Amino acid sequence: MNNLFRKKTISVLTAEASETGINALKRKLGPWGLIAIGIGVIIGAGLFSLTGIAAANNAGSAIILSFVVAAVCCSFNALCYAEFASLVPVAGSAYTYSYTSIGEFFAWIIGWDLILEYSVGAATVAISWSQYLIKFLGFYGIHIPTQLALSPFETITLADGTIAHGFINLPAILVVLAITLIIIRGVGLSSIVTSIIVILKVGIVLTFIAVGWHYINPVNYHPFIPANTGTFGEYGISGIFRGAGVIFFVFIGFDIVATMAQETKNPKKNMPIGIIGSLIICTVLFVAFAYVMTGMANYQEFKDSAAPVAIAIAKTPFAWLSQLIIFAILIGYISVILVDLMGQSRVFFSMSRDGLLPKLFADIHAKYGTPFKSNILLCIFICMFAGFAPIHIVGEMTSIGTLLAFILVSIGVLILRKTQPEVHRPFKTPFVPILPIISIIISVVLMVSLPFDTWLRLIVWLLIGFAIYFGFGRKRSKLNKS
């Protein structure tokens, strides 16, 4: 049993972070590049799609409070991530942090969980991208057949009243394939593309807030907190917390920043800046955006819509604005998928390098310096989610995976402060142990508020992971060999 809790030492991780050569990742990112990556993934599907879904099904106009609850929880976790990122500047994020503080078995759990989180995260954005593409093309009389734009589990009511069933979400699959090719070309190109798109996305959000503010109908805010229907999570106070659990998906950007440690210049200084900076900027934008959107249209109008922004914009006389913003959203979504795919492949890279997964996941492209085999295999896996799963399922799965990662990182900070207090920490989480404990409690509350079937899917995924670990990873672990 003891080998389940074997740990990697700080000195070993520091040596890995200093590696150079053909099997090492290239250090090209500075603080602004990290902030751009964080904003690039945070401002995405959660804001432009899940905000409307969570408002319609859970919180009503009080979705604003859901964002505040989620942001508070994220801020506590961001401080814990920042300490680890400055202390252990190695690719892998929460996986690597757990390996150092709790042990190999828990590291495997969180690594396997992160693979699910980033996979369904990218798939969620790809599905929403597909829905916005359909709306944009519709402006010009171009219509994609329903069978090729929805998953087999989704239906849509056509103009003549007939109900059409989906077969495969082809646009979602194609956008994942295209972005995978960009990622394989290297982090330098990916960072440039992300920075350009981030400028565009922030401009979209500010434009929407500025224009939409003049079309807010105060009636839409009443009742601000709709009465609970008698079912936990459907409006009322419980709805606010379930809404926070659903939209928690939007904040995974700052933890993806942590996966880029081995591609960052001076990571001990720049990682905390990237993590905390991107979270602060996005939280302010989120609350203002949600306030305006639920003021422009009644929250019930967003039900089952992956493109709520289009519904809100329809309340204005600016048809051109609708087309412009939807086009910009399409471009902006690309950076979200891009960063999700980058983060996921870096977790695979770390797990493979440690011997817990086959060596091919750690193979680096000789020219581009990227884990290209991981990118290709993960692309196939994500395309299955994007093409054949409905958006509300993949969105909830992402949130529960994120929350589990946050809990283990907070526990890791507590353990390392106790077991290795002498280690130099360039950035220290304040108010330890109070802040990490509060972070754990809030994350647990948000996890409990998620639907039972979401928990069931997580359990099934973890059971598959246990089979792989005990059948392959445990025996081939580099720590086992040493």
Side-chain angles (χ1 to χ4, degrees):
M1 285 294 293
N2 287 338
N3 61 3
L4 293 179
F5 301 96
R6 54 197 174 198
K7 303 174 184 177
K8 295 182 73 172
T9 63
I10 299 293
S11 58
V12 169
L13 291 172
T14 302
E16 291 178 356
S18 304
E19 286 180 356
T20 59
I22 190 171
N23 287 320
L25 299 171
K26 311 296 182 184
R27 294 191 183 276
K28 297 182 179 180
L29 298 173
W32 289 109
L34 291 171
I35 290 176
I37 286 176
I39 296 175
V41 70
I42 294 174
I43 299 180
L47 189 62
F48 297 129
S49 61
L50 291 183
T51 301
I53 293 174
N57 298 331
N58 307 116
S61 298
I63 188 65
I64 302 167
L65 300 181
S66 297
F67 269 114
V68 172
V69 171
V72 169
C73 181
C74 282
S75 65
F76 294 158
N77 280 283
L79 293 170
C80 294
Y81 265 90
E83 175 170 324
F84 263 125
S86 66
L87 179 66
V88 189
V90 182
S93 184
Y95 160 75
T96 303
Y97 307 158
S98 298
Y99 216 152
T100 305
S101 58
I102 308 176
E104 183 177 278
F105 181 61
F106 284 97
W108 169 267
I109 291 175
I110 202 61
W112 190 247
D113 169 68
L114 287 174
I115 293 168
L116 176 67
E117 173 192 332
Y118 295 153
S119 295
V120 295
T124 301
V125 184
I127 294 168
S128 185
W129 185 90
S130 173
Q131 298 304 303
Y132 276 109
L133 177 66
I134 292 171
K135 286 184 177 294
F136 181 76
L137 294 179
F139 289 130
Y140 303 98
I142 303 173
H143 301 285
I144 299 176
T146 300
Q147 292 82 357
L148 300 180
L150 294 175
S151 76
F153 304 99
E154 294 176 293
T155 61
I156 188 172
T157 303
L158 302 178
D160 60 2
T162 59
I163 298 177
H165 293 263
F167 175 70
I168 183 173
N169 195 329
L170 189 59
I173 291 176
L174 293 178
V175 73
V176 172
L177 290 171
I179 294 172
T180 297
L181 295 177
I182 294 176
I183 293 173
I184 291 175
R185 291 294 300 273
V187 70
L189 175 62
S190 301
S191 179
I192 293 171
V193 171
T194 299
S195 297
I196 294 172
I197 294 176
V198 163
I199 294 173
L200 177 63
K201 284 204 291 189
V202 172
I204 298 169
V205 174
L206 293 176
T207 300
F208 177 82
I209 293 172
V211 174
W213 195 275
H214 299 287
Y215 294 91
I216 289 176
N217 183 355
V219 174
N220 291 325
Y221 293 126
H222 299 288
F224 182 68
I225 303 178
N228 184 264
T229 61
T231 301
F232 183 88
E234 292 184 6
Y235 312 121
I237 300 301
S238 66
I240 292 174
F241 279 93
R242 175 162 290 183
V246 172
I247 62 172
F248 209 88
F249 162 81
V250 309
F251 289 103
I252 66 172
F254 75 82
D255 73 306
I256 290 182
V257 171
T259 69
M260 311 305 296
Q262 273 184 265
E263 291 156 280
T264 300
K265 295 177 286 188
N266 193 7
K268 291 189 175 183
K269 173 185 175 183
N270 292 331
M271 291 301 295
I273 294 174
I275 291 171
I276 298 173
S278 58
L279 179 62
I280 291 174
I281 293 171
C282 291
T283 299
V284 173
L285 292 174
F286 282 5
V287 173
F289 187 94
Y291 178 79
V292 171
M293 192 176 79
T294 54
M296 294 173 69
N298 186 276
Y299 65 88
Q300 294 178 336
E301 297 182 54
F302 302 132
K303 201 169 187 66
D304 299 324
S305 174
V309 175
I311 295 174
I313 293 174
K315 305 296 182 179
T316 74
F318 307 119
W320 60 269
L321 180 62
S322 179
Q323 297 178 42
L324 178 64
I325 290 184
I326 290 177
F327 174 74
I329 288 173
L330 288 171
I331 300 299
Y333 270 12
I334 292 175
S335 69
V336 183
I337 303 172
L338 186 149
V339 177
D340 270 334
L341 296 181
M342 285 175 61
Q344 184 189 49
S345 63
R346 272 53 178 180
V347 174
F348 253 32
F349 171 83
S350 296
M351 296 176 74
S352 176
R353 184 185 54 195
D354 293 333
L356 301 182
L357 287 174
K359 182 180 178 297
L360 67 91
F361 291 108
D363 289 345
I364 300 296
H365 196 284
K367 179 179 180 181
Y368 301 127
T370 56
F372 67 107
K373 292 181 181 178
S374 287
N375 293 137
I376 294 171
L377 292 174
L378 292 171
C379 173
I380 296 171
F381 180 62
I382 293 168
C383 283
M384 294 174 62
F385 275 108
F388 300 101
I391 190 170
H392 70 277
I393 290 179
V394 289
E396 290 169 353
M397 289 172 67
T398 306
S399 293
I400 198 169
T402 304
L403 289 163
L404 179 58
F406 286 0
I407 290 171
L408 290 183
V409 168
S410 298
I411 292 174
V413 168
L414 294 173
I415 292 176
L416 275 188
R417 285 289 187 95
K418 183 71 174 179
T419 59
Q420 301 185 47
E422 74 287 350
V423 176
H424 173 63
R425 292 166 169 81
F427 178 89
K428 298 183 71 173
T429 303
F431 308 114
V432 173
I434 297 174
L435 191 147
I437 291 175
I438 293 175
S439 172
I440 293 168
I441 293 173
I442 295 176
S443 296
V444 170
V445 169
L446 292 179
M447 286 185 73
V448 171
S449 69
L450 288 170
F452 173 75
D453 55 353
T454 302
W455 278 88
L456 188 60
R457 295 184 192 101
L458 176 65
I459 292 171
V460 170
W461 175 256
L462 291 178
L463 289 176
I464 295 172
F466 293 160
I468 296 174
Y469 174 73
F470 288 106
F472 178 90
R474 184 184 181 189
K475 299 176 184 178
R476 291 169 174 78
S477 167
K478 287 187 176 180
L479 291 187
N480 187 50
K481 295 176 182 178
S482 63

